[in-house]
Structures are given as structure tokens and as C-alpha cells.
Amino acid sequence: MALSTVAAVMLACALFGALGALLGIGGGVFLVPFLVLVIDLPIQFAIGTSLLTVIATSSTISSGAEGKRLINLRLGLLLEVLTVAGSLVGAVTARALSPQTLHLLFAVVTFGISLVMLSRLDVRNVILDPAAEPGELGGRFYEHESGREVVYRIKRLPLAMVGSFVAGNLSTLLGIGGGIVKVPLLNAWCGVPIRAAAATSAFMIGVTATSGAIIYYGRGDVIPHLAAAAVLGVKIGSFAGLHVAARARVRWIKLLMAIVLMIVSALMLTRAL
Amino acid sequence: VRLAATILLAAGLALWLAGATSPAAITLNAGLLILMATPVVRLLWALVAEARAGEWRYVALGVVVVALLFGSYLVSRRGP
């Protein structure tokens, strides 16, 4: 693999990192298909590389001052137990599945995600009365937009736990962060405001991806210099993306992403058949 | 710590591109290992904070997560 491959991976990763930061998801859903379809890497190498970039993105978000303020550590710890368990099960099943099945699964999941995105184009989060009690797992934080402290309670905890297990499973199986499953779930059904949901998910994703990355790395399914190029690219991209994110028109980006994901899904499907 | 991983990965990549394959491999792998260690360190910090607050149930949850991470290390060694 030559210089051009390294340059291409780095450049593409910068783009995926920026898109991921804009959308509040990792770049994994784009990176895995890119490595498989364009660089022609076997899917398990693509997954290993992608998981390493997920760790990098997660660290960038959760070490920032804004991230630290919004992370709900207790909720994160509780859900992380289920997520890492799901991730371990995913690692074991990944070995049993053929590349064709993995391609097919990736196609199905990306299609599902694009539908979720389309259905959430206009979703606005409801903020609870600040006088309310947050309960044991809930939280409160100062919100810049409204200029006051907001409080939230956790609803439907069992659902959040099941979702976390599934997210962890998909993460290690497909090399995505799993935030794409957890953020909408926590936000739409469990009462967590979108910013707290995204920050808490970012914190969890780093740990989940580490669980997966350890396994892929330990099995030798990582090409160090390509992984380095990918991680550096994603770091540059997500840094740039986070700065643009505040001003971006999220609705159009979501729409564009949904379309791109459908194309990705179709391409992966052709690989599966 | 985060910066250390980035610097090592950038240096390793530069070495690899310069054709110095074996020092590149050491630097790149060190960078990747530090990268994988960062979320674990963050998790341990959270555990220390909960322990100071006397919230032992959350400490227990965190210990389970660390144990599961160790489990994934074991899977990578002998894995099915």
C-alpha cells in the first residue's frame, strides 16, 4: 500500500470526521464502506480501523469543557455495562459470520439509520420545568440557548438498557460507534435532552469501541499505518466539524446524509449478493 | 495523554512514509495502545469520583465495565 492510499484514507477520514461531528455521530458508518468498497480492504480490517477512529472522536468530544459539563456519568456507567456486554457478544458472533453476512447486515443497518434520520428531520426536544426533581439517574445543566438551568428525568430505563445492549453489539459487529442507536433512543423515548444524550453517548462510545478495538487489534485485524492515517484524518475533520456545527443548517445535512446512507446501503448490498 | 497518542501516530506515519519500517511500527503501535487506553483512564477517573462521593453502587457498575473490558482482552488472546 502506497503513499496515495495513505493520503486517500486520511483525506476521506477528515471528511467523514467533519460530517460525523456535524451530525453528532461517529464517522464509522461512512468509513467502513469506504475502506471496503474503495480501498478494497477485507471487512474485518475496515471494522478494526473504524473502531480506533471512534475512540478518537469520543475522546475529542468528552474531554472538551462542553462535553464534561453535559455528560451524565451515572446513566453512562449503568448503560455501559449493557453496552460492553453487547460488544463482547458481538465480537464472538462476528467471527462466526461470513463477510457476505456482515456486508448484508451493514446494508440493512445503514438503511434503517437513514430511515431514522428522515423521520427525525424536524424533531425538537422538550425541556422540562426547571423546578422538577431529576430523580436518581436524571440530571440538570445550564443551557445556553434558553439561558437557564434545565432538569430532566430518565423515562423507560429498561428500554434504554436493551437499546444499549443492541448498540454495543452492532458497534463491535460493524465497526460503528453505536451513538446512532443510542442518541435518538435516549432523546426520543427516555427523556434525555439531545445535548446531554449526545455527550453521554460520546463518553460511552469510547469505552465500547475500546472493547471492540482491543479484540480486533489483538487478533491482528489492524494495519497500523492505515489506522494512524484514519485516526489523524478523523481528528482533524471532527475538530473542524465541531466548529462549523453551531452554524450549520442541520435539517439539510440530515437529509443529505440519509440519501448518502441509502446509496451506501445499496452498494454494500451488491457486495453481499 | 490524548496529545501523546496523536503525536506518536503522526510521527509513526511520517517514519513509515520515510521508509523506516521498524521504528515506524514501534511508534505506531505505541500510539494505538495509548489511544485505546484513554477511554479506560477516563472511566477510572469517573470511578474515583463516585468512590469519593460514597456512591458504591456506581463504583460496582464501573468495576463490572472494567472487568468486561478485561474480558475482551482475553477474547482477543484465545478467542473463538
Side-chain angles (χ1 to χ4, degrees), chain A residues 1 63 74 136 210 215 217, chain B residues 16 29 36 39 55 57-58:
Chain A
M1 261 168 283
S63 68
R74 293 188 173 170
E136 196 185 344
T210 300
I215 293 169
Y217 180 84
Chain B
W16 187 85
N29 283 307
M36 285 189 273
E55 294 285 353
R57 279 180 301 163
Y58 293 99

Side-chain angles (χ1 to χ4, degrees), chain B residues 10 12-13 20-21 29 33 35-36 38 41-46 54-55 58-60 69-73 75 78 80:
Chain B
L13 192 62
T21 325
N29 283 307
L33 287 173
L35 180 70
M36 285 189 273
T38 38
V41 172
R42 189 165 294 119
L43 182 66
L44 292 176
W45 273 119
E55 294 285 353
Y58 293 99
V59 177
L69 282 175
F70 187 69
S72 54
Y73 167 75
V75 167
R78 314 168 189 168

Side-chain angles (χ1 to χ4, degrees), chain A residues 1 3 52 55 59 62-63 74 81 84 88 95 136-137 206 210-211 214-215 217 225 228 231-232 235, chain B residues 2 6 9-10 13 16-17 28-29 35-36 39 42-43 50 55 57-58 61 65 68-69 72-73 76 80:
Chain A
M1 261 168 283
L3 179 62
L52 287 164
I55 300 177
S59 293
S62 40
S63 68
R74 293 188 173 170
V81 173
V84 178
L88 262 177
R95 271 288 142 125
E136 196 185 344
L137 283 170
T210 300
S211 155
I214 289 172
I215 293 169
Y217 180 84
H225 68 268
V231 167
L232 295 173
K235 266 188 180 292
Chain B
R2 227 157 41 84
T6 312
L9 289 176
L13 192 62
W16 187 85
L17 290 174
L28 286 171
N29 283 307
L35 180 70
M36 285 189 273
R42 189 165 294 119
L43 182 66
E50 292 294 340
E55 294 285 353
R57 279 180 301 163
Y58 293 99
L61 285 177
V65 174
L68 286 169
L69 282 175
S72 54
Y73 167 75
S76 80

Side-chain angles (χ1 to χ4, degrees), chain A residues 53-66:
Chain A
T53 68
V54 170
I55 300 177
T57 323
S58 158
S59 293
T60 308
I61 298 168
S62 40
S63 68
E66 187 70 3

Side-chain angles (χ1 to χ4, degrees), chain A residues 54-271:
Chain A
V54 170
I55 300 177
T57 323
S58 158
S59 293
T60 308
I61 298 168
S62 40
S63 68
E66 187 70 3
K68 279 192 184 128
R69 203 168 60 83
L70 293 169
I71 294 173
N72 183 332
L73 270 180
R74 293 188 173 170
L75 182 66
L77 276 176
L78 174 61
L79 296 182
E80 191 53 34
V81 173
L82 279 299
T83 314
V84 178
S87 157
L88 262 177
V89 173
V92 177
T93 29
R95 271 288 142 125
L97 299 177
S98 70
Q100 275 70 33
T101 317
L102 286 178
H103 291 149
L104 181 66
L105 200 58
F106 201 98
V108 171
V109 170
T110 43
F111 185 73
I113 292 169
S114 67
L115 290 185
V116 169
M117 271 194 181
L118 283 178
S119 72
R120 292 178 52 82
L121 282 179
D122 291 311
V123 171
R124 282 273 169 274
N125 194 48
V126 182
I127 292 155
L128 295 176
D129 174 14
E133 271 299 309
E136 196 185 344
L137 283 170
R140 52 175 80 225
F141 62 89
Y142 178 81
E143 197 194 43
H144 291 301
E145 289 94 323
S146 56
R148 55 183 188 150
E149 187 162 75
V150 296
V151 179
Y152 59 96
R153 279 168 170 277
I154 307 301
K155 295 182 282 188
R156 303 190 186 90
L157 187 61
L159 183 68
M161 292 169 81
V162 172
S164 297
F165 184 84
V166 173
N169 207 313
L170 289 177
S171 171
T172 308
L173 212 49
L174 304 177
I176 61 178
I180 197 89
V181 179
K182 273 188 277 192
V183 176
L185 182 84
L186 288 176
N187 182 230
W189 286 296
C190 303
V192 185
I194 189 78
R195 282 167 184 276
T200 306
S201 163
F203 162 73
M204 286 195 277
I205 281 167
V207 182
T208 316
T210 300
S211 155
I214 289 172
I215 293 169
Y216 283 90
Y217 180 84
R219 283 172 175 169
D221 289 344
V222 167
I223 300 168
H225 68 268
L226 271 191
V231 167
L232 295 173
V234 165
K235 266 188 180 292
I236 295 164
S238 61
F239 192 71
L242 281 175
H243 284 261
V244 188
R247 278 167 288 159
R249 298 183 62 178
V250 179
R251 192 178 194 278
W252 289 106
I253 305 166
K254 278 186 180 172
L255 194 62
L256 178 68
M257 277 319 100
I259 296 164
V260 173
L261 280 175
M262 284 195 180
I263 297 168
V264 164
S265 169
L267 287 172
M268 288 301 274
L269 193 63
T270 61
R271 270 293 164 108

